[in-house]
Amino acid sequence: MIHNFSELPISKYLAERLLANNFQTPTPVQSSAIPAALSGSDLLATAQTGTGKTLAFLIPLAERLLTTPGTGVRALVLVPTRELAIQVQQQYEQLRGKKLRSAALAIGGASERQQIAALRTASLVIATPGRLEDFLRRGLVKLSTTEVLVLDEADRMLDMGFLPAIRRIVSAVPRQRQTLCFSATLDPAVAHIVSDFVRNPQRIALGSTSKPAASVKLQAFEVASNQRLSLLIRLLDGEDGRSLIFVRTKRGADRLTRQLQQKGFRAGMLHGDRSQSQRNAALAMFQDGTVPILVATDVASRGIHVDDVAHVINYDLPQLAEDLIHRVGRTGRIGAEGIASVFVTHQERAEFRTLERTLGLKIEKVLAGDDLAVEERSGPVIVQGAPVQMTPSSKMVRLPGEVFQRYAAV
């Protein structure tokens, strides 16, 4: 365990880079993981979201690249999402200065030509499994010189179905390597799979990975479905910092973002149907405060590291209980304080109680108030004085008088 980065057995150059970027006091996971990784042993580390795992593997990687000779792709970092890959690259840029080469990205949604050119000279590659496997299959990258493999957010990659791709990628990496595995959770099934990739690892487990950080105030509002927007606006009006709002669907993200913009809020959106340039721009504007509100699906619940998110709002309940922990983990990071709110509609009471039981939580209930405005919705179509009932599955409905009305689901 170390109490200051100055205690690390690292090169003077890297120590100066840490100091220049105001990295002085390590988090608990950094304090335990960095010395273990510097020793050359394999590592299996679990810690709550927002505890600084990225720097815990980047410092050992940078030190190896600085102080030991080698050619080709010497280090590979696998991550579940494009956004996380970009943010790992950005943090590496803070460390590398002028003595280390830039890291190459291998991710979807970005220029393939630029990525292929960068891979030719890269010592460090940061990649999502799907794109990297594609490059490997086409012979555009070789991993035969890789000395260190990092699996970041390992549980998330397995949840997303990347295990077959990861196995094929690992088979292209030398067996004699160092493997650093970082994860927010490590249930027995995940641990069994991960054990295939590490050899006699040092095991680091810090804090509960199934509970929000102690620095997060968690609260729940029971609210009518058609009053959620009014409650959200009230919360946003009282918030000075950045707010991250989670919804279940891409369509819901589009709709809510549009509603907030119409109410005068500077809001952006992040979901899987957005192009990579749109996703990058939304994150950049959220990070610098140009757009202080971001509406997102669960693509942002894991691996999106935005500093100083004041409030995470679960506009929709997550589909999986553990996703609530990852959503909430976007605030209260690295010891900062944050607020996480959960909206529970009357129809979702039973689902919410199940979520609490699953996570072993008792979330504080807060009165939403009885003066919330009711959101106006489009009413039924009236034909010859009679309402016609339509269902979301309807494509075409025959109305009285041979009148046809196309139904578009909202």
Side-chain angles (χ1 to χ4, degrees), residues 59 65 68 97 133-134 313:
I59 288 176
L65 297 179
T68 61
E133 186 186 22
D134 176 55
I313 300 172

Side-chain angles (χ1 to χ4, degrees), residues 90 242 278-291:
Q90 290 171 345
R242 279 186 283 261
Q278 289 173 321
R279 290 161 75 166
N280 292 347
L283 271 176
M285 289 189 291
F286 187 55
Q287 176 73 73
D288 67 20
T290 304
V291 173

Side-chain angles (χ1 to χ4, degrees), residues 232-233 235-237 239-246 256-257 260-261 263-270 282-283 285-287 289-296 309 311 313:
L232 176 62
I233 290 171
L235 293 179
L236 293 176
D237 279 337
E239 184 57 68
D240 294 328
R242 279 186 283 261
S243 296
L244 179 56
I245 305 167
F246 282 105
L256 183 58
T257 303
L260 290 174
Q261 290 171 345
K263 297 290 186 181
F265 291 97
R266 288 175 293 145
M269 75 180 88
L270 183 68
L283 271 176
M285 289 189 291
F286 187 55
Q287 176 73 73
T290 304
V291 173
I293 299 168
L294 186 64
V295 181
V309 174
H311 201 163
I313 300 172

Side-chain angles (χ1 to χ4, degrees), residues 36-109:
L38 286 171
S39 73
S41 68
D42 282 10
L43 186 64
L44 186 53
T46 52
Q48 287 176 318
T49 298
T51 54
K53 295 190 293 291
T54 302
L55 202 60
F57 63 76
L58 283 180
I59 288 176
L61 286 187
E63 179 67 8
R64 179 184 285 258
L65 297 179
L66 272 169
T67 60
T68 61
T71 58
V73 177
R74 302 181 59 199
L76 170 63
V77 178
L78 288 179
V79 297
T81 66
R82 310 168 192 174
E83 286 76 19
L84 181 53
I86 292 168
Q87 293 195 347
V88 171
Q89 183 195 44
Q90 290 171 345
Q91 190 151 55
Y92 179 71
E93 284 295 307
Q94 292 180 286
L95 289 181
R96 76 175 188 89
K98 297 181 179 179
K99 286 192 176 183
L100 287 169
R101 296 173 183 170
S102 296
L105 288 176
I107 60 174

Side-chain angles (χ1 to χ4, degrees), residues 26 33 47 57 61 88 91 100 104-105 111 171 219 223 230 251 262 283 286 295 299 303 326 377:
F57 63 76
L61 286 187
V88 171
Q91 190 151 55
L100 287 169
L105 288 176
S111 169
S171 70
Q219 59 188 15
V223 61
S230 179
R251 198 170 185 178
Q262 289 171 349
L283 271 176
F286 187 55
V295 181
V299 72
H326 301 307
R377 302 281 182 93

Side-chain angles (χ1 to χ4, degrees), residues 277-336:
S277 61
Q278 289 173 321
R279 290 161 75 166
N280 292 347
L283 271 176
M285 289 189 291
F286 187 55
Q287 176 73 73
D288 67 20
T290 304
V291 173
I293 299 168
L294 186 64
V295 181
T297 58
D298 280 307
V299 72
S301 70
R302 297 283 292 268
I304 300 302
H305 304 308
V306 175
D307 296 331
D308 303 322
V309 174
H311 201 163
V312 168
I313 300 172
N314 295 273
Y315 193 78
D316 292 327
L317 286 182
Q319 292 184 323
L320 299 175
E322 68 173 25
D323 286 342
L324 179 69
I325 302 302
H326 301 307
R327 289 179 175 189
V328 169
R330 299 308 100 200
T331 187
R333 301 177 66 82
I334 318 293

Side-chain angles (χ1 to χ4, degrees), residues 33-43 60 64 147-148 177-180 199-200 202:
I34 294 173
L38 286 171
S39 73
S41 68
D42 282 10
L43 186 64
R64 179 184 285 258
E147 303 163 23
V148 184
R177 65 175 188 270
Q178 181 184 25
T179 303
L180 309 176
R199 295 176 303 168
N200 301 317
Q202 291 196 43

